[in-house]
């Protein structure tokens, strides 16, 4: 594998930002910028052998600085939502940034707007960010690390770790939008999610605390289904933006997405208990890599993560990281062509 570096732009304060290209031994390429620890591009072959784009992104840093869609971003300290933008630890309330109505979304100002440090360590790109105490309302100083590399030629592996000097909920994830085809949207893609249960939410997207079976609901994707057909047949006009409880434990396959037009396929493997499946309804009118307006459903996200709003729900897995512990999780995006 090889890693190259080039100039990508400047931060508003003048700091230079790079773009790193990681090329696997099979010729697959992932381009990563330390701004927000974002995946900007992933190039893989289609069924004719031609390399092409798999993800939504921009050609320079500047559009990322004002991007409201979290394109390709690392999410933290807490991916997804925390209801009422507050949680308690040992009876002490911690009030967070409100950036989703009355709620807290993807860490507030979040890791996606920070310039991480970067270094090349053999065949891996290692990104680090230290979140100071009080940032977006969180307690303690949190040191986060993301190690990215190609594993087995076609597996883009993301290893996350974090440590804190005070108890704090931690939930890191990746918010890359995939479009594996040549069409402007992903309605012709098929999706399979290996989950028997999901988390019902209120009208603001906050979990109710219930864990319900997907059986006999439009959210049942245990067998592969064409995304657009599911929208139409099951009255999902705004598509999917749902949290699933993934079957099993440890590193296992959570979701598989295919594009019939190109033959490209991506599978997400994760160590996390949940998956947020989002099909990009809010992308309508945003400007894409080619300078053209994107439609709704231009890309989909496969976000391996802990459950949203976990600090408020005792039935959900614990997300509080203690000072004596190390947070660790892995996500792998596994590419092939059919």
């Amino acid at each position: 594998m090889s890693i190259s570096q080039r100039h990508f732009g400047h931060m508003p304060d003048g700091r230079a930002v790079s773009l790193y290209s990681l090329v696997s031994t099979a010729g697959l390429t992932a381009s990563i910028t330390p701004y927000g620890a974002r995946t900007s591009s992933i190039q893989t072959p289609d069924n004719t052998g031609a390399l092409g784009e798999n993800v939504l992104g921009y050609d320079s840093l500047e559009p990322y600085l004002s991007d409201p869609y979290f394109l390709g971003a690392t999410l933290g300290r807490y991916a997804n939502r925390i209801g009422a933008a507050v949680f308690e630890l040992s009876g002490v309330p911690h009030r967070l940034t409100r950036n989703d109505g009355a709620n807290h979304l993807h860490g507030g100002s979040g890791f996606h707007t920070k310039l991480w440090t970067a270094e090349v360590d053999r065949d891996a790109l290692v990104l680090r960010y230290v979140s100071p105490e009080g940032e977006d309302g969180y307690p303690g100083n949190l040191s986060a690390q993301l190690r990215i590399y190609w594993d087995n030629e076609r597996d883009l592996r993301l290893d996350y770790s974090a440590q804190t000097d005070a108890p704090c909920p931690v939930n890191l994830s990746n918010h890359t939008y995939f479009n594996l085809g040549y069409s402007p949207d992903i309605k012709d893609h098929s999706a399979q999610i290996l989950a028997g249960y999901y988390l019902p939410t209120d009208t603001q997207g906050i979990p109710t605390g219930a864990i319900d079976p997907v059986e006999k609901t439009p959210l049942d994707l245990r067998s592969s289904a064409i995304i657009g057909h599911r929208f139409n047949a099951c009255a999902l006009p705004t598509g999917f933006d749902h949290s699933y409880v993934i079957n099993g434990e440890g590193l296992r396959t959570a979701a598989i997405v295919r594009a019939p037009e190109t033959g490209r396929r991506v599978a997400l493997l994760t160590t996390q208990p949940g998956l947020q499946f989002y099909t990009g309804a809010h992308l309508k009118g945003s400007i894409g890599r080619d300078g053209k307006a994107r439609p709704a459903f231009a890309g989909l996200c496969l976000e391996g993560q802990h459950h949203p709003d976990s600090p408020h729900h005792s039935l959900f897995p614990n997300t509080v990281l203690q000072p004596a512990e190390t947070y660790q999780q892995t996500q792998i995006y596994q590419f092939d062509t059919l």
Side-chain angles (χ1 to χ4, degrees):
M1 194 184 80
S2 65
I3 301 178
S4 61
Q5 177 184 359
R6 69 171 178 86
H7 180 68
F8 198 49
H10 288 92
M11 296 288 288
D13 61 8
R15 286 178 292 169
V17 179
S18 294
L19 186 72
Y20 293 83
S21 293
L22 289 64
V23 183
S24 80
T25 54
L28 283 67
T29 301
S31 296
I32 314 294
T33 176
Y35 177 72
R38 294 177 185 245
T39 303
S40 178
S41 171
I42 300 177
Q43 300 266 335
T44 71
D46 64 10
N47 49 19
T48 71
L51 282 177
E53 189 59 70
N54 287 259
V55 305
L56 306 186
Y58 303 112
D59 293 321
S60 65
L61 175 66
E62 185 176 5
Y64 284 109
L65 298 176
S66 58
D67 167 59
Y69 307 105
F70 308 95
L71 255 65
T74 293
L75 305 175
R77 293 187 189 189
Y78 203 97
N80 218 310
R81 293 171 176 85
I82 294 180
V86 65
F87 65 88
E88 287 191 4
L89 285 175
S90 301
V92 177
H94 296 272
R95 304 193 183 282
L96 307 175
T97 303
R98 291 186 172 188
N99 64 327
D100 183 45
N103 305 309
H104 179 76
L105 176 65
H106 294 333
S109 67
F111 291 0
H112 62 285
T113 67
K114 306 303 188 296
L115 183 58
W116 297 48
T117 63
E119 68 172 295
V120 175
D121 180 16
R122 292 170 292 180
D123 289 340
L125 177 66
V126 181
L127 304 173
R128 296 185 177 90
Y129 176 65
V130 178
S131 176
E133 182 172 6
E135 185 172 67
D136 284 297
Y138 286 99
N141 299 289
L142 184 86
S143 299
Q145 176 178 292
L146 173 58
R147 185 180 184 91
I148 307 174
Y149 60 99
W150 285 106
D151 192 16
N152 298 326
E153 297 186 342
R154 293 177 175 270
D155 297 357
L156 186 64
R157 182 173 178 127
L158 290 74
D159 289 330
Y160 300 82
S161 61
Q163 294 179 314
T164 181
D165 60 9
C168 181
V170 177
N171 181 28
L172 307 182
S173 192
N174 177 269
H175 205 279
T176 295
Y177 288 81
F178 292 93
N179 185 327
L180 308 178
Y182 297 132
S183 299
D185 62 51
I186 48 77
K187 292 180 183 178
D188 67 342
H189 288 37
S190 63
Q192 181 180 14
I193 297 179
L194 304 178
Y197 292 85
Y198 77 103
L199 307 180
T201 63
D202 64 18
T203 57
Q204 299 180 66
I206 305 300
T208 63
I211 301 175
D212 286 356
V214 299
E215 189 172 3
K216 297 181 180 179
T217 77
L219 306 184
D220 189 352
L221 292 172
R222 290 174 294 176
S223 296
S224 183
I226 297 174
I227 292 172
H229 289 182
R230 186 58 58 92
F231 290 175
N232 297 331
C234 299
L236 289 170
T238 59
F240 291 90
D241 192 6
H242 296 85
S243 291
Y244 286 85
V245 181
I246 301 304
N247 300 338
E249 297 180 349
L251 183 63
R252 74 277 193 212
T253 301
I256 301 169
V257 173
R258 299 179 178 89
E261 187 179 26
T262 61
R264 292 193 183 104
R265 185 186 85 143
V266 63
L268 171 68
L269 286 71
T270 182
T271 57
Q272 298 300 87
L275 167 74
Q276 186 77 15
F277 181 48
Y278 173 52
T279 50
H282 300 299
L283 290 170
K284 183 177 181 180
S286 63
I287 303 302
R289 195 190 307 273
D290 55 5
K292 298 178 181 178
R294 300 187 189 99
F297 314 117
L300 61 86
C301 299
L302 304 170
E303 307 166 45
Q305 58 185 240
H306 266 272
H307 302 333
D309 202 37
S310 287
H312 293 144
H313 301 287
S314 60
L315 291 180
F316 293 179
N318 177 50
T319 59
V320 176
L321 180 67
Q322 301 291 336
E325 302 171 340
T326 297
Y327 170 96
Q328 290 182 315
Q329 68 119 319
T330 294
Q331 297 192 54
I332 297 174
Y333 292 114
Q334 192 173 70
F335 298 91
D336 62 21
T337 306
L338 302 178

